[in-house]
Amino acid sequence: MTIQLYGFWRSNAAFRVKVALALKKLPYEEIEVDILAGHQFDAGYAEVNAERVVPTLVHDGHRVFQSLAIMEYLDEIHPTPRLMPESAKDRAYARAVALVSVADSHPFVTPRVRKHLAQAYHADLAAIEAWCAHWGREGLATYERMLTERPATPFALGSAPTLADICIAGQKIIADLYKVDVNEYPRVAELTKRCFDMPEFAEAHPMRQPGFRAVSL
């Protein structure tokens, strides 16, 4: 099985896929696309990914993009350990948990949104960071309510991490980047600590990546 991953150390979406690959113990070659420098808009990468975002997974020549689609694809081609539960009800819940971050929070803090806020609305750095922190809190607050209604046992859907836990952990990274205190959300804090105690999560953290460096957000 030959896998390549177009990603970037700073990408939250790439983090999610890296955790999934690590949990499944699938080796891959990472190809860097510097999204802070705008290289996702280079003509060559546009031929790889029509949306011009990261990550893109290439498996035996077949391209898949969007982190949620990639993780579900990995589950189908390599089903052990499972990232999605067996039952239809639990799969629906796992997707709902994942989409809180993937669809409703993380998209508001991506580089293209931050750039648009600066260019179209003349938002300065402080305003952009406050915007990002707001959406970080929104995701965390939703997760706190969900984990109150359905407590982790010890992970979101049982004894092992799933796609849901990966996305909650990604929301914790957003909180860290924008100085949101996750301890205000104790159930989220407890679950994400459990996740990052695992090497598969810890080693995929943006600040553990070779390309990590101090940058202006």
Side-chain angles (χ1 to χ4, degrees), residues 102-124:
V102 172
D104 292 339
S105 178
H106 176 232
F108 287 107
V109 304
T110 57
R112 58 184 174 179
V113 169
R114 301 198 307 268
K115 181 179 179 181
H116 185 67
L117 287 170
Q119 292 183 341
Y121 301 103
H122 310 293
D124 61 14

Side-chain angles (χ1 to χ4, degrees), residues 23 80-85 94 152-166 191 194-195 198 201:
L23 288 171
T80 304
R82 291 188 63 85
L83 297 178
M84 289 292 283
T153 58
F155 293 99
L157 284 108
S159 61
T162 65
L163 181 149
D165 302 280
I166 294 172
L191 175 60
R194 190 173 297 120
C195 289
M198 298 179 64
F201 284 81

Side-chain angles (χ1 to χ4, degrees), residues 1-4 20-21 24-29 57-62 70 73-80:
M1 181 183 295
T2 302
I3 295 177
Q4 294 175 311
L21 288 163
K24 290 181 177 292
K25 295 180 171 50
L26 292 173
Y28 63 95
E29 172 196 2
L57 182 108
V58 183
H59 168 232
D60 291 343
H62 175 67
I70 293 171
Y73 177 77
L74 292 173
D75 229 25
E76 293 181 10
I77 65 169
H78 192 88
T80 304

Side-chain angles (χ1 to χ4, degrees), residues 26-102:
L26 292 173
Y28 63 95
E29 172 196 2
E30 183 170 11
I31 301 170
E32 181 177 282
V33 180
D34 188 338
I35 60 176
L36 296 178
H39 291 170
Q40 68 272 38
F41 300 110
D42 291 352
Y45 187 63
E47 296 176 1
V48 174
N49 185 310
E51 195 180 7
R52 299 181 297 184
V53 296
V54 297
T56 303
L57 182 108
V58 183
H59 168 232
D60 291 343
H62 175 67
R63 294 194 299 270
V64 187
F65 69 101
Q66 288 292 347
S67 64
L68 193 59
I70 293 171
M71 289 189 287
E72 293 206 41
Y73 177 77
L74 292 173
D75 229 25
E76 293 181 10
I77 65 169
H78 192 88
T80 304
R82 291 188 63 85
L83 297 178
M84 289 292 283
E86 293 282 357
S87 78
K89 290 180 180 178
D90 282 349
R91 285 198 302 275
Y93 179 74
R95 290 189 183 99
V97 172
L99 287 166
V100 169
S101 185
V102 172

